Amino acid sequence: MNPHRHGTPRTGGRHLALVGLAASLAACGGTGEDFAEASGELGQELAACSYSITTNTYDGPDYWGTIIFKNTGASAMTSPRIAFTVPSGVTCDHDEAGWTHTQSGTTCTYSRTSGLTVGVNASYTFYYSTTSSTSFTAGNVQISDPSCGGTGTDGGTGTDGGTGTDGGTGTDGGTGTDGGTGVTANQKKVAEAITSIWENDTPALDYAYSENIGDGRGYTSGRAGFCTGTGDAIQVVQCYQALRSASNGNLLAKYMPGLTTINNRFLSTGQSQASTSELDVIGNWRSDWGASYNNTTTRADFKSCQDQVSERLYFTPAMNEAKKWGLTTALSKAAFYDAYINHGTLGEFIRAANNALGNTSQTAPAIGRNGITESAFLQKFLEKRRDVLYNDSTWREAVDRVALYEKLRRQGNWDLSTAVRNDVRARDCWGTTYPTSGYTVRQINPDGTWSTPGSYTYSCN
C-alpha cells in the first residue's frame, strides 16, 4: 500500500533512507485510501450525535482494520456502537478489550462491554480483525450511542489530508503507559531507543531533524521520519495547528496550503510525491521544522504531536499485532515495533513464521498452538526479515538492525531488564555473507538512559 523508510548508513552517521514497499500506513507512507474520510453527519433521528470517519482501512496482509471517528456533535458519547459491512464470506473474528461483537450476514456490529466516553471534538480509534487476507474498506460505517437515541447513517466519502489528535478516552485504558499494550513505560523507552539507533544513529529521539534525502518522498522530518510526500507529515502539522496558531508561534502553519496541494496529489495518484517546491516558495521547511522543536515555547506542543502521530501509526498497530498472535514479551513487541517502522507491515514476516512452524492456516493466536513457543516464532520472524533486507540491494546495509533482536532472544532478555548493547552484526549471528551496517554501538539501560561504550566485542551470544 505504501513505502517506508528504513535505516542505512549515510554521511554524518544518520541511518536514514526510504525505500518502496507495499505496506500499511507508517513512516513516510500512506495511500489515498489510508486517508479517505467519510462525512458521517447523522440522519434526523441522531442529529445531535454527528460524527466523521477520518480513517477507514483494512490491511489484509496484517488481518487488521482501523476505523477512526470524530465526535462532531454537541454532546459526549458514552457507549458508542460501531456497525459496518465487510465483503461477502468474510467473518469478523476479534474483540479488543472493552468490546464485543455480533455478525449478521456481512454486517459486523461492535458494542461496548463497559462505558467509553468520547468527548465533543474528540476522536476514537477502533480496531478490528477478520478472516480476510485481502485489503478492503469497511462499508456503510454507522456510529450510534445511547446519548443520541438511535442508529446513524454513513454520509458518503471524501478526502482528508490526515487526522489530528486522537482524543478518545475510555475505561479500557488505550495505549498510554502500559495501557493495555503489555509493556511498561521503561520497556517502551528501550524499544523506541533501539529503533532510534537504526533511524538516527543515536538512542535519543530526534524531533528536530529534517532533510530531503532524495528518496522521492519530499522532506523527511522528526522522530519517525514523517514525509511531506506521503501523507504523514501533514498529520503532524494538522495536530500542531490545532494546538497553536501562526500568531501564537506556529512556524509550520503557513505550509498547510502547500502540504494540502502535495497531499491531494498523493491521494489522487497513490504515489509518493518528491516535489517540495510548493513548500520552498513559502519558506525554509527544514529550518522551521527544527525551530518548532528547538524553541522552548513551542517544543511541548510540537513534540506532543509527533508522539501522537507516531503512536497511532506505528506503535499501536505493532502492539495489536503482537497481541493478536499471542506474543507477550517486551522483546518480541520491540522487534514488532521496529519492523513496523522499517517496513510498514508485518504480514510477510508473520506468515513466514507461521508457515515455518506448521501454522499454515495462519490461525491466531499462534503461540501455544501445536507447541509453538514465542522464542521459536520470534526466531522465524527475524530470519524472514533478515532475508527481506538482505535480498534487496537498497536495504542490504540495514540488515544488522535485525541481529540485535536475535542476540537478545538468544540471551533470554525477554523483559529488557538487562542493559542492551547493539554490539552485534548479522554476520555474527548468521555468517560472513552479510555486510556490516556500521551502526555506532550504544548501550541502553533498562530505564531508557544510554551511553556510548568505550570498548566492545561483536558477538551474537
Side-chain angles (χ1 to χ4, degrees):
M1 291 169 58
N2 52 16
H4 298 275
R5 80 179 191 174
H6 72 91
T8 188
R10 296 176 60 255
T11 302
R14 176 172 295 278
H15 294 61
L16 259 174
L18 290 131
V19 298
L21 177 68
S24 60
L25 178 63
C28 278
T31 66
E33 175 182 288
D34 287 319
F35 301 99
E37 176 180 0
S39 175
E41 296 299 330
L42 297 184
Q44 183 175 1
E45 62 180 341
L46 280 180
C49 198
S50 62
Y51 63 91
S52 63
I53 305 298
T54 54
T55 296
N56 179 6
T57 63
Y58 179 82
D59 184 9
D62 282 341
Y63 296 88
W64 203 251
T66 303
I67 295 173
I68 301 177
F69 68 88
K70 181 178 182 180
N71 179 5
T72 59
S75 60
M77 297 181 184
T78 57
S79 187
R81 184 177 67 177
I82 303 173
F84 53 88
T85 61
V86 296
S88 178
V90 172
T91 301
C92 294
D93 64 357
H94 173 73
D95 294 327
E96 285 287 280
W99 292 93
T100 186
H101 83 278
T102 60
Q103 182 165 350
S104 177
T106 61
T107 299
C108 298
T109 302
Y110 286 79
S111 303
R112 292 293 302 176
T113 59
S114 58
L116 171 68
T117 299
V118 182
V120 176
N121 292 323
S123 294
Y124 182 79
T125 303
F126 170 77
Y127 299 105
Y128 67 97
S129 180
T130 80
T131 56
S132 176
S133 61
T134 301
S135 298
F136 62 84
T137 300
N140 193 28
V141 178
Q142 301 181 23
I143 312 294
S144 59
D145 188 86
S147 65
C148 307
T151 302
T153 57
D154 186 355
T157 60
T159 58
D160 186 6
T163 61
T165 59
D166 179 5
T169 59
T171 57
D172 53 337
T175 54
T177 305
D178 193 45
T181 66
V183 295
T184 66
N186 281 342
Q187 288 169 338
K188 184 178 181 182
K189 288 180 183 177
V190 173
E192 291 183 324
I194 293 172
T195 292
S196 188
I197 292 176
W198 322 132
E199 300 294 331
N200 301 316
D201 204 37
T202 172
L205 303 182
D206 196 346
Y207 292 89
Y209 168 75
S210 184
E211 185 178 359
N212 187 339
I213 61 177
D215 62 349
R217 295 165 182 83
Y219 289 116
T220 298
S221 307
R223 59 162 288 179
F226 307 107
C227 288
T228 57
T230 58
D232 48 2
I234 192 173
Q235 295 194 46
V236 176
V237 177
Q238 285 178 318
C239 170
Y240 187 40
Q241 192 172 33
L243 297 178
R244 184 176 290 272
S245 65
S247 61
N248 195 26
N250 183 344
L251 298 177
L252 298 176
K254 61 180 177 284
Y255 294 102
M256 274 306 299
L259 284 170
T260 301
T261 297
I262 295 170
N263 200 58
N264 286 343
R265 194 163 59 241
F266 165 65
L267 292 171
S268 64
T269 65
Q271 301 297 315
S272 301
Q273 300 298 307
S275 175
T276 61
S277 61
E278 297 85 351
L279 308 176
D280 298 337
V281 298
I282 298 172
N284 188 327
W285 168 273
R286 292 179 58 196
S287 176
D288 287 340
W289 182 284
S292 298
Y293 181 74
N294 292 327
N295 185 327
T296 56
T297 300
T298 60
R299 176 181 297 161
D301 288 342
F302 192 52
K303 177 181 181 295
S304 173
C305 285
Q306 290 194 47
D307 289 342
Q308 289 178 48
V309 175
S310 180
E311 185 86 8
R312 184 172 70 246
L313 301 188
Y314 322 140
F315 191 77
T316 296
M319 297 305 102
N320 287 333
E321 283 292 303
K323 178 180 179 180
K324 175 177 179 178
W325 294 100
L327 285 84
T328 61
T329 68
L331 172 58
S332 294
K333 292 173 182 180
F336 270 38
Y337 169 70
D338 185 64
Y340 211 99
I341 284 271
N342 190 175
H343 304 276
T345 183
L346 308 182
E348 182 177 11
F349 315 124
I350 288 173
R351 286 193 299 275
N354 277 318
N355 288 337
L357 297 172
N359 185 18
T360 56
S361 63
Q362 304 293 315
T363 301
I367 307 308
R369 180 178 174 81
N370 296 329
I372 296 175
T373 65
E374 184 159 339
S375 181
F377 191 95
L378 181 59
Q379 178 183 1
K380 297 303 181 184
F381 177 95
L382 294 173
E383 289 174 354
K384 179 61 178 178
R385 187 178 173 210
R386 172 204 65 195
D387 294 345
V388 167
L389 289 172
Y390 178 73
N391 290 325
D392 188 295
S393 60
T394 308
W395 297 17
R396 187 164 295 147
E397 290 186 348
V399 71
D400 283 354
R401 70 190 291 166
V402 184
L404 176 57
Y405 303 99
E406 173 62 13
K407 178 174 183 172
L408 296 174
R409 186 192 69 84
R410 295 184 186 186
Q411 291 178 333
N413 193 0
W414 292 102
D415 58 0
L416 303 179
S417 60
T418 301
V420 173
R421 279 194 186 189
N422 62 308
D423 53 355
V424 60
R425 303 159 299 186
R427 59 175 50 211
D428 302 315
C429 299
W430 299 296
T432 56
T433 300
Y434 299 96
T436 298
S437 300
Y439 297 114
T440 303
V441 174
R442 313 287 190 180
Q443 176 169 308
I444 305 170
N445 300 315
D447 63 356
T449 59
W450 62 277
S451 60
T452 302
S455 62
Y456 52 85
T457 301
Y458 285 113
S459 170
C460 197
N461 299 310

